[in-house]
């Protein structure tokens, strides 16, 4: 789909109801679903973060979304796929500004080139104790991506066609820092396994888009 067609199709995105927990639970590992049901999140006093599902035209005017592969480090999100984004800073006026600022810092898309279209359903991340607020946005021109070397191992550009292709929904057996040899639902995009909170948020992005396209 050309980016012009994509923008026209999603012009009424603000009027679309969110899919919320239904979208998240479809891509939630069993151990995470059980954990979330038993948690009193308010008592955890979570921090806040914001991420951006950014769609843009490539040089052939085809629609793409950008994801990142995080660097390997001593932490719970080491070497995982995700959206550009990060924690709220005191200088951010709101969550939307956090998502835009972090996208600029991590992949180099300038704030003035980003159009925020809709805030999606927040999601709680137990291992890091964050409420994460996802947004959908667009960049009207092909970005000149610049990787933040301290945090981003690789910038991953995924075509809209591949993202929406149901055959890219898979189940993988993985081991993490907090769960060993578990089967998880995932997206397989550009050879990368996208699972956990990112997959849960991606699923809501997909459901919203499929209701419009």
């Amino acid at each position: 789909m050309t980016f012009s067609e994509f923008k026209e199709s999603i012009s009424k995105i603000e009027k679309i109801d969110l899919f919320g927990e239904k979208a998240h639970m479809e891509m939630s590992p069993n151990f995470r679903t059980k954990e979330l049901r038993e948690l009193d999140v308010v008592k955890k006093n979570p921090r806040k973060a914001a991420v951006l599902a950014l769609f843009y035209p490539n040089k052939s005017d085809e629609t793409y979304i950008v994801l990142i592969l995080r660097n390997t480090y001593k932490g719970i999100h080491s070497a995982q796929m995700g959206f550009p984004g990060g924690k709220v800073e005191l200088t951010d006026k709101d969550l939307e500004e956090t998502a835009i600022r972090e996208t600029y810092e991590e992949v180099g898309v300038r704030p003035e080139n980003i159009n925020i279209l809709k805030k999606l359903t927040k999601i709680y991340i137990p291992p890091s104790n964050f409420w994460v607020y996802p947004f959908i946005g667009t960049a009207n021109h092909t970005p000149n991506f610049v990787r933040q070397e301290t945090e981003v191992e690789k910038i991953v550009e995924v075509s809209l066609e591949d993202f929406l292709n149901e055959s890219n929904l898979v189940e993988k057996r993985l081991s993490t820092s907090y769960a060993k040899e578990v089967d998880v639902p995932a997206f397989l995009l550009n050879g990368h396994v996208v699972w956990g909170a990112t997959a849960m948020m991606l699923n809501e992005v997909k459901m919203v888009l499929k209701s419009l396209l």
Side-chain angles (χ1 to χ4, degrees):
M1 175 179 285
T2 68
F3 190 67
S4 299
E5 293 169 336
F6 175 78
K7 286 201 302 179
E8 177 63 25
S9 296
I10 65 169
S11 60
K12 297 180 181 179
I13 192 171
E14 270 299 326
K15 298 179 181 179
I16 295 295
D17 292 334
L18 295 179
F19 293 87
E21 188 173 314
K22 177 181 184 296
H24 292 169
M25 290 302 101
E26 283 186 2
M27 299 301 292
S28 175
N30 289 334
F31 70 88
R32 177 61 53 80
T33 301
K34 182 176 183 293
E35 183 178 14
L36 288 173
R37 285 173 177 164
E38 295 175 351
L39 275 177
D40 185 341
V41 176
V42 174
K43 287 185 178 180
K44 295 287 185 179
N45 191 26
R47 295 173 290 173
K48 293 182 178 180
V51 299
L52 180 58
L54 182 67
F55 291 89
Y56 60 93
N58 71 354
K59 292 180 180 179
S60 300
D61 196 41
E62 293 298 313
T63 305
Y64 273 68
I65 181 174
V66 63
L67 298 173
I68 60 173
L69 175 63
R70 297 206 172 274
N71 282 343
T72 300
Y73 63 97
K74 291 183 178 180
I76 56 176
H77 300 302
S78 172
Q80 289 188 9
M81 292 288 293
F83 294 106
K87 66 181 180 180
V88 171
E89 301 290 353
L90 292 176
T91 53
D92 296 334
K93 67 179 183 181
D94 53 27
L95 290 160
E96 183 174 310
E97 185 170 288
T98 300
I100 292 171
R101 174 185 56 76
E102 284 283 344
T103 298
Y104 174 51
E105 292 177 2
E106 293 192 335
V107 298
V109 183
R110 298 192 63 81
E112 61 267 26
N113 296 332
I114 295 173
N115 308 302
I116 298 295
L117 303 179
K118 191 175 184 69
K119 182 168 74 172
L120 301 180
T121 307
K122 68 180 180 180
I123 187 169
Y124 178 64
I125 316 294
S128 54
N129 194 34
F130 268 99
W131 274 120
V132 177
Y133 295 77
F135 292 82
I136 291 180
T138 58
N140 288 331
H141 305 287
T142 306
N144 180 25
F145 290 118
V146 179
R147 175 175 64 90
Q148 184 181 34
E149 295 184 1
T150 56
E151 295 191 25
V152 180
E153 175 68 26
K154 184 180 181 181
I155 293 173
V156 181
E157 300 182 65
V158 179
S159 72
L160 178 66
E161 181 180 2
D162 284 344
F163 170 50
L164 297 181
N165 189 336
E166 296 294 337
S167 69
N168 287 326
L169 291 175
V170 298
E171 187 172 272
K172 291 287 185 179
R173 175 156 290 190
L174 301 173
S175 291
T176 74
S177 59
Y178 49 89
K180 303 299 181 184
E181 291 295 312
V182 289
D183 293 321
V184 301
F187 289 87
L188 185 61
L189 301 172
N190 291 27
H192 296 280
V193 177
V194 186
W195 69 285
T198 300
M200 294 162 74
M201 291 183 285
L202 263 180
N203 201 43
E204 186 171 40
V205 173
K206 185 182 81 170
M207 292 173 76
V208 167
L209 294 184
K210 285 206 164 188
S211 70
L212 292 166
L213 300 182

